Amino acid sequence: MHSKKKADAYTELFLTFSDRVELWIKRGIIVLVALLLLSQVALSVPALRHVLASADRHEGVPIQRIGAH
């Protein structure tokens, strides 16, 4: 009987702990997805891309296509 109460108390503590951890993991994933989207938007702006990404400086002159839509 005493062992059953200990097991129930442990289960309750574990569920409480795991719910909190799950909440922090979900928040972390949401923050990381938001940062990913913001970084992609920032890299789509040519002036910001030049500052943020060093690869553009090393690639040379981009090809200018005349009449391309």
Side-chain angles (χ1 to χ4, degrees), residues 1-36:
M1 189 70 150
H2 187 39
S3 178
K4 175 78 169 139
K5 287 183 182 180
K6 278 187 172 182
D8 289 343
Y10 176 79
T11 302
E12 186 66 33
L13 285 172
F14 178 78
L15 290 175
T16 302
F17 172 76
S18 63
D19 286 343
R20 288 182 184 172
V21 170
E22 181 182 357
L23 179 64
W24 281 103
I25 289 172
K26 285 180 182 179
R27 287 178 181 171
I29 290 172
I30 290 170
V31 167
L32 290 174
V33 168
L35 289 173
L36 175 66

Side-chain angles (χ1 to χ4, degrees), residues 31-50:
V31 167
L32 290 174
V33 168
L35 289 173
L36 175 66
L37 293 174
L38 286 173
S39 66
Q40 291 300 306
V41 168
L43 288 173
S44 69
V45 177
L48 289 177
R49 183 177 56 234
H50 180 71

